[in-house]
Amino acid sequence: MKKIGIFYGSTNGTTADIAQRIADKLDIMASDVHDISNTDIAQIASFEVLLLGSSTWGVGDLQDDWESFLPKLKQADLNGKAVALFGTGDAASFSDTFCDAVGTIYTALKNTGCRFCGAIPTEGYTYDGSTAEIDGKFVGLLLDEMNEDNLTDPRIDEWINQLKNECLA
């Protein structure tokens, strides 16, 4: 398997928990799971695959730590790296901006030379709008731990199986 790094921003711990659950399911060492609030951008260079996670705040806003990390990531050498996105949001209270932070990260990185993987169908989700939806699919794994936590583990498992075929082998 390729060298995988997980990089996430988390304010209340939900996205951190999801990042760790993904790491556990992929047998990724703790040293390869990075909270971007205290991560040097140079650390991404050693990874072939980047799993990037963010929660969405307010009305579609990036998690605070991503505000300073994303411009640095956009300037980094991502050419040839596989990138898979994941995010957390609240589809009931913020149904028209569900997991928009994932869409923001996707848009910022789409012209950096990276190759995205892990887009998933929107079927089974209840929401009104999301910038993370492109051409009828979500650009990554979107999770609603507030209202649909019973769907989290099956969605993670399905996404990981998809990643194993698309970009981890």
Side-chain angles (χ1 to χ4, degrees):
M1 193 173 332
K2 294 180 179 177
K3 179 105 169 116
I4 304 165
I6 298 177
F7 295 83
Y8 68 89
S10 187
T11 301
N12 291 334
T14 303
T15 307
D17 176 62
I18 297 299
Q20 189 56 57
R21 286 158 78 176
I22 292 168
D24 290 345
K25 290 173 183 278
L26 286 169
D27 293 323
I28 295 174
M29 296 185 310
S31 60
D32 293 333
V33 180
H34 305 272
D35 178 341
I36 62 168
S37 69
N38 57 19
T39 296
D40 182 343
I41 195 67
Q43 291 178 289
I44 67 150
S46 64
F47 299 101
E48 297 168 276
V49 179
L50 304 174
L51 306 184
L52 308 176
S54 179
S55 51
T56 298
W57 286 91
V59 183
D61 299 326
L62 275 173
Q63 189 271 343
D64 288 344
D65 299 317
W66 275 104
E67 293 290 343
S68 59
F69 192 78
L70 187 57
K72 296 174 195 172
L73 185 60
K74 188 176 177 180
Q75 296 302 313
D77 181 10
L78 300 179
N79 198 39
K81 291 191 184 293
V83 173
L85 305 173
F86 65 96
T88 57
D90 180 346
S93 299
F94 299 97
S95 133
D96 56 343
T97 58
F98 179 55
C99 290
D100 274 3
V102 172
T104 300
I105 294 169
Y106 173 84
T107 300
L109 300 181
K110 70 179 179 182
N111 294 319
T112 62
C114 69
R115 178 178 59 88
F116 287 100
C117 56
I120 64 165
T122 60
E123 288 82 22
Y125 286 84
T126 303
Y127 68 103
D128 292 320
S130 177
T131 61
E133 182 183 347
I134 307 286
D135 297 327
K137 285 189 159 191
F138 290 131
V139 296
L141 174 65
L142 306 188
L143 301 168
D144 183 348
E145 282 286 271
M146 300 283 296
N147 306 292
E148 299 179 339
D149 61 325
N150 60 311
L151 298 175
T152 296
D153 282 321
R155 285 177 172 165
I156 290 173
D157 291 342
E158 187 172 326
W159 186 64
I160 286 173
N161 286 333
Q162 180 178 338
L163 294 181
K164 286 178 180 178
N165 292 324
E166 289 182 11
C167 61
L168 300 183

